[in-house]
């Protein structure tokens, strides 16, 4: 069996995601899945992401989660150019932002913290929670550097499922994967 050309697959999946005629409906479904799933979690700090290229937007569900308990904090990633990893800065609706080197909004002048859970955008996903990201390795480097390791949750629309996708040596496994169809995969405790 020939390995997948990940760059070609990424391009096709991003184009398909952006062209989804029912992306809004899928987003509403995934908002519900994420909100319900977060109810039973004990983490107090979660690193999210600012959605780009038609990605699912986790921020409304995260904001609702943060309102439900005192001390809960949400962070958005800021690229650390020296390490090639991400730092998470506190985010809240209306906080000042500025564009990073990739023209993605990031919190401006807010506190840095290490999240107990990371929500990761997925371009696609495979069996057993294998994540296909953008290929830059930012999340993998970040997860490897954080101690203790945060609980990792991939978020993707169900049309991104790739039955032939397999993990590569440098890929870190997810702990859970959520889609608009529900909990697609979750590691046994």
């Amino acid at each position: 069996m020939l390995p997948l050309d990940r760059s070609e697959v990424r391009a096709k999946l991003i184009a398909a995601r952006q062209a989804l005629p029912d992306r809004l409906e899928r987003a509403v479904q995934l908002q519900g899945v994420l909100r319900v799933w977060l109810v039973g979690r004990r983490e107090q700090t979660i690193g999210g992401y600012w959605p780009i290229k038609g990605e699912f937007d986790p921020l409304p569900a995260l904001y609702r989660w943060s309102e439900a308990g005192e001390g809960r904090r949400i962070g958005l990633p800021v690229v650390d150019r020296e390490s090639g990893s991400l730092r998470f800065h506190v985010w809240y609706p209306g906080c000042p932002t500025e564009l990073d080197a990739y023209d993605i909004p990031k919190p401006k002048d807010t506190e840095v913290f290490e999240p107990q859970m990371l929500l990761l955008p997925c371009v696609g996903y495979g069996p057993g929670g294998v994540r296909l990201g953008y290929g830059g390795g930012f999340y993998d480097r970040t997860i490897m550097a954080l101690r203790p390791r945060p609980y990792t949750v991939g978020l993707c629309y169900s049309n991104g499922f790739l039955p032939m996708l397999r993990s590569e040596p440098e890929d870190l496994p997810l702990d859970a994967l959520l889609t608009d169809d529900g909990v697609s995969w979750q590691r046994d405790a």
Side-chain angles (χ1 to χ4, degrees), residues 36-172:
V36 168
W37 186 82
L38 284 171
V39 168
R41 302 299 308 179
R42 294 179 185 251
E43 291 86 359
Q44 291 293 300
T45 58
I46 298 178
Y49 59 89
W50 194 276
I52 59 170
K53 301 179 184 178
E55 290 173 339
F56 167 71
D57 182 356
L59 297 176
L62 286 178
Y63 182 65
R64 295 286 295 270
W65 166 83
S66 73
E67 289 184 310
E70 195 167 324
R72 292 181 176 185
R73 294 188 301 168
I74 303 164
L76 290 182
V78 175
V79 175
D80 180 332
R81 288 181 180 263
E82 289 181 27
S83 68
S85 62
L86 305 170
R87 292 184 322 254
F88 287 83
H89 289 249
V90 170
W91 174 87
Y92 52 88
C95 82
T97 61
E98 61 188 356
L99 296 180
D100 71 7
Y102 299 97
D103 289 331
I104 300 171
K106 66 179 183 178
K108 183 179 179 180
D109 302 326
T110 61
E111 181 185 350
V112 175
F113 71 94
E114 291 189 358
Q116 296 167 323
M117 177 188 291
L118 278 181
L119 301 183
L120 290 75
C122 299
V123 175
Y125 65 99
V130 176
R131 173 183 177 263
L132 179 66
Y134 289 99
F138 290 104
Y139 281 103
D140 289 332
R141 284 188 294 277
T142 301
I143 294 163
M144 286 190 297
L146 293 173
R147 295 288 176 260
R149 183 187 188 273
Y151 191 86
T152 57
V153 182
L155 300 173
C156 193
Y157 295 124
S158 57
N159 72 304
F161 181 65
L162 301 166
M164 303 306 285
L165 183 64
R166 298 296 179 260
S167 181
E168 292 189 338
E170 65 275 9
D171 294 340
L172 293 178

Side-chain angles (χ1 to χ4, degrees), residues 8-63:
E8 184 179 315
V9 170
R10 278 185 194 97
K12 287 180 180 178
L13 285 174
I14 291 168
R17 181 174 65 204
Q18 291 177 309
L20 281 172
D22 62 344
R23 191 170 70 210
L24 179 59
E25 292 84 358
R26 288 173 184 257
V28 168
Q29 287 295 113
L30 187 43
Q31 283 289 335
V33 169
L34 179 57
R35 284 179 52 201
V36 168
W37 186 82
L38 284 171
V39 168
R41 302 299 308 179
R42 294 179 185 251
E43 291 86 359
Q44 291 293 300
T45 58
I46 298 178
Y49 59 89
W50 194 276
I52 59 170
K53 301 179 184 178
E55 290 173 339
F56 167 71
D57 182 356
L59 297 176
L62 286 178
Y63 182 65

